[in-house]
Amino acid sequence: MVPHPKELVIGTAPVAARMLAAAASDAAFHVKLNHDALTLIGRSREVVERTAASGQRVYGLNTLLGSGRDTAVEDKSILAYQVQVVRYHNSGVGPCLDLSEARAVILARLVGFSRGGSGVRSETARFYAELLNRGIHPAIPAEGSVGSSDLTQLAAVAALAIGEGEAFDADGTPIPGAKALADAGLQPLALAAGEALALVSANSYSVGVGTLALVRLQHVARLADVALALSLETIARYDDGGNLSPFAPAIQAAKAVDGQRRSAESVRQLLAGGWLEDVRPEVSVQDPLSFRAAPQTHGAFRDLVSRLEAALEVELNGRGDNPLVDLESGQMVSGGNFQPMQLALAFESLRLALAHVGIASERRIAKLYPPQRAIRAKHLTASAGSGLAQEELPGLLWYPAAGLVAELKFLAAPATLGAPTLSADVEDHSTLAPLALQQLGKSLDAAEKLLSIEALTASYLLLEAGAAQPLGKGTGAVVGRLADVLADRPPAPQLVERARRELRDVIGAAGLPEGGNEW
C-alpha cells in the first residue's frame, strides 16, 4: 500500500498538541489507528461488556444521567437509550465550527478513544477516523458547553454518526447527516451499550480547538517580538532611542525566566547585522518601559503559552471519561476527570497576558506618532500649489490601536467564574473552559491587529527615514514585505488585514530569525 504523504498515526504514545492542530488544519491528512491503539480499545470494550453482563449498576451504562443518575435503564431499552442520549445532548446553538475546528473536535475525541478509558468498540473508533478521511464536515454549533465535558458539541458529531444531525457539503451548504454519510460511502453507526455517553463525555472542543488557538498564540508571541524590534529601529532613527542593553544575555541570565530569555534572543536576532548593534554615543541610556521591559512582558506571555501547550497535552492524552474504564482493575469507575480546570485557567491567564502585551504595544505606537506628525507637516508644505498626495499610512491608526487595547483589557476579565448550578444541583460547579477559549480567540484577533498596526507604523517611518543606516536582517525582511502593502495605499481595514497576512507569511518563513526558540 502506498503511504499517504500526510498521515497521522494514532497509537498509544502521546500525541503532540501541535501535531493535532496540523492534522486538523489540513484536510489532506490521513488519520489511522495503529494495532496498539485498536488492541487497547478492544480491551477497554471487553470491560464494558463484562460489566454490562454482570448487572452491576454503572452511571450512564445502565442508569440515566445527571440528576437521574440513580434511576435504572431496563435491559430491553439499553440500545434505544443510546439514541436518546445523543438526541438529548444535541442541543447546541450559535454559529457552527469551521472545517478545521470540526476536524479538531473529532480528532481530539479519537485520540481519547485510543487511551483505553472510553470503552467504545473498535469499529466506532474507526468510523470517527473515516469521518476525517472522507472529508465529512459535521455541523457543530459552537455554544452549549459549560466545560464539564463538551456535551453539545460532541453530541452534534454523534448525531451525524448515527445518521441524524447535519453536515456541510463542499460548498458549505447544510445537508442532512444521513446524506453526508451516504455521499461518503458510510453507513450510520448503530451504537452499542454505553457508547452514546462515551461519544459525548469528553472535552474535545476545548482541547481540539484549543490546539488551534495554541498555534495562533505561538505566532502572536513571535509577532510581538517582530513589532518590538521594528519599533526599536524606529525610535533609534527619530528619537535617539533603541538602547539594546535590556536585551543583553547578562540581563536575561540574571533572572531564570525562560520565555524572557527567548524573547530577548529573538529581538537580538531580528536586529542582527543592523546598525543598532553598534555602540552609539548619542543613544539614550534608558528607553521607556514599553521597550526596556518588553522581554519581561513578552517572556511571561511565552511561558504561559508553553503552559497551555502542556495543559492541552495532559487533557489530549489523558482519560477524561466518566465513567472511566480502568483496565488494571477491570472496573468502570465514576470520577471527575472531565473537569479540565487547569486548561480553563490557562485560557484565562493568556487573555490577561495578551492585554499586557497589547498595552505595551499601544504605548510604543504612541511614541511613534510625533515623527508621523512631522512627516505629514513636511508633505503638506511640499504640496503647496501641486496638490497633496495620499500618504501610505492612514494618519489615525493609533486610535484603532487604542480601541483594540481597550478591548483586550475588557476581554481579560474572568470568564470561568460564572457557571450556574445545573441538573437539580448535582452539577454544581463547571469550568466554562469553552467560554474562556472563545474569549481567548477574540483576544487573539485584537492582539494580532494591534501588533500589525505597530509593525505597519514602524515600517512606514523606517521607509520614510531612508537607508542611511542598515536595518537588521530580520527587521529588514519584514519592512521589505510591508513596503509593498503600504505602496498600494489600500483603505485602513484592507491595509491592516493585508499586513496581518504578510506578517504571518514572513514570520513563518524559514529565513526569519526566531530567537532559537522551538516554536
Side-chain angles (χ1 to χ4, degrees):
M1 180 181 293
V2 178
H4 289 267
K6 295 181 178 180
E7 188 170 60
L8 174 61
V9 178
I10 300 173
T12 56
V15 176
R18 280 179 281 173
M19 186 70 240
L20 188 136
S25 300
D26 187 348
F29 263 88
H30 182 82
V31 180
K32 177 183 177 182
L33 292 158
N34 74 8
H35 175 75
D36 290 343
L38 290 169
T39 298
L40 190 61
I41 290 168
R43 289 175 56 204
S44 177
R45 183 63 197 173
E46 289 170 3
V47 172
V48 174
E49 292 178 352
R50 284 198 305 270
T51 303
S54 74
Q56 176 187 349
R57 189 174 61 168
V58 175
Y59 178 76
L61 178 64
N62 47 28
T63 75
L64 298 181
L65 303 174
S67 59
R69 64 199 182 280
D70 292 320
T71 301
V73 177
E74 296 180 2
D75 288 348
K76 66 181 182 181
S77 302
I78 290 290
L79 296 184
Y81 180 54
Q82 307 310 305
V83 176
Q84 185 183 71
V85 167
V86 173
R87 289 174 177 170
Y88 180 80
H89 289 91
N90 187 20
S91 304
V93 298
C96 288
L97 306 187
D98 65 27
L99 178 59
S100 293
E101 292 169 332
R103 285 175 58 83
V105 170
I106 300 169
L107 268 170
R109 193 65 199 111
L110 185 57
V111 173
F113 295 157
S114 74
R115 305 301 100 173
S118 67
V120 299
R121 297 167 297 160
S122 58
E123 53 261 47
T124 300
R126 286 195 185 98
F127 187 94
Y128 269 53
E130 286 307 303
L131 291 177
L132 297 161
N133 294 335
R134 302 192 190 200
I136 298 175
H137 179 183
I140 306 175
E143 298 163 4
S145 171
V146 296
S148 296
S149 286
D150 296 330
L151 299 169
T152 61
Q153 289 93 341
L154 285 167
V157 180
L160 172 70
I162 65 173
E164 300 183 5
E166 284 192 319
F168 295 107
D169 66 14
D171 297 324
T173 303
I175 58 174
K179 175 173 170 53
L181 294 181
D183 289 349
L186 291 173
Q187 294 292 322
L189 270 177
L191 299 181
E195 284 196 309
L197 181 57
L199 295 185
V200 304
S201 182
N203 294 291
S204 305
Y205 169 75
S206 299
V207 175
V209 178
T211 68
L212 301 178
L214 171 69
V215 173
R216 292 186 65 196
L217 285 158
Q218 291 169 340
H219 165 70
V220 168
R222 298 188 195 104
L223 175 59
D225 290 339
V226 167
L228 167 63
L230 290 167
S231 291
L232 283 164
E233 294 264 28
T234 305
I235 63 168
R237 283 158 176 79
Y238 288 93
D239 195 29
D240 291 332
N243 190 323
L244 296 191
S245 66
F247 303 88
I251 295 292
Q252 317 320 316
K255 199 171 181 180
V257 181
D258 188 57
Q260 175 183 325
R261 176 191 59 77
R262 289 186 283 133
S263 176
E265 184 180 354
S266 173
V267 171
R268 290 200 310 274
Q269 290 197 12
L270 286 160
L271 298 172
W275 78 303
L276 263 65
E277 290 187 311
D278 299 331
V279 176
R280 292 171 288 131
E282 73 279 7
V283 69
S284 173
V285 295
Q286 284 195 158
D287 291 323
L289 286 171
S290 56
F291 294 88
R292 183 172 19 123
Q296 287 73 17
T297 302
H298 293 187
F301 171 56
R302 281 175 174 264
D303 279 355
L304 288 172
V305 174
S306 295
R307 290 182 197 176
L308 172 64
E309 185 168 19
L312 284 166
E313 291 181 350
V314 166
E315 295 294 337
L316 177 61
N317 295 293
R319 292 175 292 159
D321 309 88
N322 183 45
L324 172 70
V325 177
D326 179 44
L327 292 176
E328 185 174 348
S329 66
Q331 301 292 315
M332 296 181 70
V333 185
S334 288
N337 279 351
F338 54 83
Q339 199 88 326
M341 200 70 239
Q342 70 161 347
L343 184 58
L345 294 177
F347 294 147
E348 293 272 65
S349 62
L350 277 160
R351 297 199 316 279
L352 189 59
L354 278 169
H356 280 285
V357 170
I359 289 167
S361 175
E362 188 274 335
R363 288 294 81 205
R364 292 192 297 268
I365 293 170
K367 291 169 181 62
L368 302 183
Y369 188 71
Q372 291 180 68
R373 187 169 52 205
I375 289 168
R376 285 197 303 274
K378 182 181 70 174
H379 288 174
L380 185 60
T381 301
S383 70
S386 60
L388 183 64
Q390 182 180 342
E391 293 175 359
E392 292 182 344
L393 187 76
L396 278 183
L397 279 182
W398 179 17
Y399 281 46
L404 288 164
V405 80
E407 182 181 358
L408 283 167
K409 293 175 184 178
F410 173 79
L411 289 167
T416 59
L417 300 179
T421 61
L422 300 166
S423 195
D425 208 28
V426 172
E427 297 168 5
D428 57 357
H429 181 255
S430 298
T431 69
L432 286 179
L435 177 60
L437 171 59
Q438 289 158 5
Q439 296 294 86
L440 177 58
K442 295 175 185 177
S443 291
L444 276 164
D445 285 339
E448 191 178 356
K449 289 177 193 172
L450 176 57
L451 291 164
S452 297
I453 289 171
E454 181 182 357
L456 275 168
T457 303
S459 295
Y460 166 76
L461 291 171
L462 290 168
L463 290 165
E464 285 285 334
Q469 301 95 3
L471 296 170
K473 181 180 177 182
T475 49
V478 176
V479 171
R481 292 291 284 269
L482 294 183
D484 294 335
V485 178
L486 288 161
D488 288 343
R489 295 177 169 81
Q494 291 93 315
L495 174 67
V496 173
E497 186 54 39
R498 282 185 58 188
R500 287 174 73 181
R501 292 198 300 268
E502 290 293 334
L503 287 162
R504 287 187 203 122
D505 187 50
V506 71
I507 289 171
L512 191 67
E514 294 185 5
N517 109 56
E518 72 277 8
W519 43 262

